Amino acid sequence: MNILIVDDQKFIREAIKADLVETSVEHDLQMFEAEDANQGIETIVATEGNIDLLILDLKMDNSDGMEVINFLSVHACYSNIPLAVISSSDKRTLGLVGSIVSRLKLNLVGVFEKPINVGFILAQATRLQNKYGNEIGVKSPESVSGYDIDKLLEDEQILLCFQPQVDMKSKCIIGFEVLARMYDENGYIYPDTFLPLIDKAGLNVEFSMMIIAKAFKFWENETGVTNYRLSINVTAEDLICDSLIDYIISYKKAHTHINLILELTESQKVINQACVLNSIARLIINDIGISLDDFGKSYSTYERLDTIPFNEIKIDRSFVCDIDTNKQHLLIVESTIALAKKMSVSVVAEGIETESVLNILDELGCDIGQGYLYSPPIEGRYLKAWVNRYVHKDTAINEH
């Protein structure tokens, strides 16, 4: 199986390759890389179009993905290559590109927003099965309903990944956000697959308890990371469960040295506002910080600003990732940072993928950065090594 990855950022190509190896059941896997459109076209020609999947970034420093798309459209011998377009652009742009590719009658797997779910892309490609009969070996999401979510939770087949949060001024690591993955004998099961199943089974609180317990255990035992803050996602539904609040507080009391931040994520209106506020008050009294996650997307964002004594605002990645090209998103980010400054709270910008976006955020006075430019989510077993590399690199820069 031949897969071509066209993306100008090496760390993204490496992350995709690692996920491909982890996700694909195909043993004879050959991967090609290109850092711009010209290299991508050259690879397509050199392989005589023998590409089973082309993963193409839209926005690159020296070119753009449309050059490759146009090349495929005018060379019929290459037009059947399965094409997965990936980008950090806004959804309207992604929709436009998808429409263009469809009109050009190319073999479109889909248009996917970064960070991507490689397993899902492979499954989509498998479903399409291009005209030459090639198939990519991957577990299809059609079998998702066959997952025994109770069994997975019972066996605690949960893997924690950690994405770093970095101080924009000092470049020092501030902490890490906990991101959950599940797995079985076939490999990773991603949140867009398992979270709906957990919700349907009514096991959200149980799942949150497992994540909290595993995160605290890891943070307690992993030397070299304990001093960094630990951010864990919770929903408004979690906060109306007294037993979960008691559970969180008990863990915090048993590990007072761990700086715990709860990132409140919720896209729907809070039904029991009084209960949520009561829970938040209890958490704050017990030295647990509150961050408003996905700021700008929540149904009740500004209502929460008025009622919740939060420690920080976390700007949603959909507004951050393209502020160097999207003036509307730039204005949203700029006004959010200014508002936070007036309210004397910290601002975290997630979805930082390029130096140009990082520089703009720095100029706007953003406090903390998070995104693939620093690192993709890191499996716990690799976290200490990543921290050592980052700290060593940062020290070396400061010495020069």
Side-chain angles (χ1 to χ4, degrees):
M1 182 201 327
N2 295 334
I3 298 180
L4 170 59
I5 305 165
V6 183
D7 195 299
D8 61 335
Q9 297 185 63
K10 181 177 175 60
F11 71 90
I12 290 183
R13 298 198 302 271
E14 293 297 327
I16 291 174
K17 287 194 297 181
D19 283 349
L20 283 168
V21 172
E22 188 74 34
T23 306
S24 176
V25 300
E26 172 67 56
H27 298 294
D28 186 19
L29 187 66
Q30 185 170 5
M31 287 179 275
F32 302 88
E33 295 180 61
E35 62 182 14
D36 58 35
N38 288 333
Q39 285 188 14
I41 292 170
E42 290 171 3
T43 303
I44 292 170
V45 174
T47 59
E48 299 181 340
N50 185 24
I51 301 294
D52 300 298
L53 178 62
L54 168 56
I55 300 177
L56 174 66
D57 187 22
L58 265 188
K59 186 170 61 175
M60 294 175 277
D61 285 343
N62 299 322
S63 60
D64 62 69
M66 292 305 300
E67 294 180 38
V68 178
I69 291 171
N70 292 332
F71 171 82
L72 297 176
S73 70
V74 298
H75 294 84
C77 57
Y78 305 129
S79 62
N80 290 319
I81 295 174
L83 172 64
V85 179
I86 64 175
S87 180
S88 56
S89 299
D90 62 272
K91 286 181 170 57
R92 287 177 295 178
T93 302
L94 297 180
L96 173 62
V97 172
S99 178
I100 291 171
V101 175
S102 296
R103 284 201 301 267
L104 292 173
K105 301 188 183 306
L106 299 180
N107 193 6
L108 180 64
V109 174
V111 183
F112 306 93
E113 185 178 8
K114 290 182 178 179
I116 62 172
N117 182 334
V118 170
F120 182 74
I121 291 176
L122 286 175
Q124 289 291 92
T126 299
R127 238 189 253 143
L128 288 177
Q129 293 184 23
N130 66 62
K131 293 179 181 179
Y132 298 107
N134 295 328
E135 284 192 28
I136 298 174
V138 66
K139 188 171 185 179
S140 170
E142 291 177 354
S143 62
V144 162
S145 59
Y147 283 124
D148 185 344
I149 198 67
D150 294 279
K151 180 66 174 176
L152 288 173
L153 290 176
E154 179 184 329
D155 293 342
E156 293 195 24
Q157 291 173 269
I158 301 169
L159 176 72
L160 296 188
C161 294
F162 302 85
Q163 189 166 36
Q165 298 174 333
V166 177
D167 184 279
M168 299 280 286
K169 294 298 182 185
S170 69
K171 311 303 180 187
C172 294
I173 302 168
I174 294 294
F176 294 85
E177 179 184 359
V178 178
L179 299 167
R181 303 288 185 264
M182 298 188 79
Y183 63 92
D184 61 9
E185 67 276 6
N186 295 294
Y188 284 132
I189 309 170
Y190 287 88
D192 56 358
T193 294
F194 68 73
L195 288 179
L197 295 177
I198 289 173
D199 183 62
K200 185 178 180 180
L203 297 171
N204 294 303
V205 170
E206 289 81 356
F207 182 70
S208 294
M209 287 182 174
M210 286 184 181
I211 298 303
I212 290 164
K214 290 178 73 70
F216 266 87
K217 182 178 180 180
F218 179 86
W219 226 239
E220 181 69 23
N221 295 331
E222 188 72 6
T223 58
V225 302
T226 310
N227 292 332
Y228 300 118
R229 76 178 197 176
L230 184 65
S231 297
I232 301 177
N233 292 306
V234 294
T235 67
E237 181 180 355
D238 289 330
L239 296 183
I240 63 175
C241 178
D242 289 337
S243 61
L244 177 59
I245 301 304
D246 291 339
Y247 189 82
I248 295 171
I249 292 173
S250 67
Y251 261 93
K252 173 61 178 174
K253 286 182 176 179
H255 305 84
T256 55
H257 59 288
I258 294 180
N259 182 6
L260 176 63
I261 302 290
L262 296 181
E263 297 188 5
L264 177 56
T265 64
E266 181 59 50
S267 59
Q268 297 178 346
K269 187 174 178 64
V270 176
I271 296 174
N272 194 335
Q273 184 81 355
C275 185
V276 169
L277 292 177
N278 182 278
S279 295
I280 289 174
R282 291 184 61 203
L283 293 168
I284 292 173
I285 290 169
N286 285 279
D287 298 319
I288 299 170
I290 303 295
S291 173
L292 292 188
D293 198 10
D294 301 330
F295 187 85
K297 294 191 74 176
S298 172
Y299 181 91
S300 51
T301 292
Y302 289 100
E303 180 183 350
R304 289 176 183 172
L305 277 180
D306 186 43
T307 56
I308 296 176
F310 54 91
N311 301 86
E312 70 180 22
I313 292 173
K314 194 169 185 184
I315 309 175
D316 186 74
R317 68 170 306 281
S318 64
F319 298 122
V320 174
C321 62
D322 60 354
I323 58 174
D324 54 341
T325 57
N326 188 319
K327 291 184 178 180
Q328 188 174 6
H329 287 176
L330 175 60
L331 289 173
I332 292 172
V333 171
E334 183 178 20
S335 61
T336 301
I337 293 174
L339 176 63
K341 295 295 182 185
K342 290 181 179 180
M343 300 183 75
S344 300
V345 297
S346 299
V347 183
V348 180
E350 60 180 359
I352 302 175
E353 298 178 1
T354 64
E355 289 285 350
S356 58
V357 167
L358 178 67
N359 292 336
I360 292 171
L361 289 168
D362 192 29
E363 291 175 4
L364 293 176
C366 184
D367 300 298
I368 301 169
Q370 178 179 342
Y372 272 52
L373 183 62
Y374 296 112
S375 173
I378 307 159
E379 281 190 39
R381 55 182 170 166
Y382 303 125
L383 186 59
K384 185 177 179 181
W386 184 90
V387 170
N388 289 337
R389 286 197 305 271
Y390 184 91
V391 171
H392 178 74
K393 175 183 175 183
D394 192 48
T395 302
I397 291 174
N398 291 333
E399 288 177 351
H400 285 81

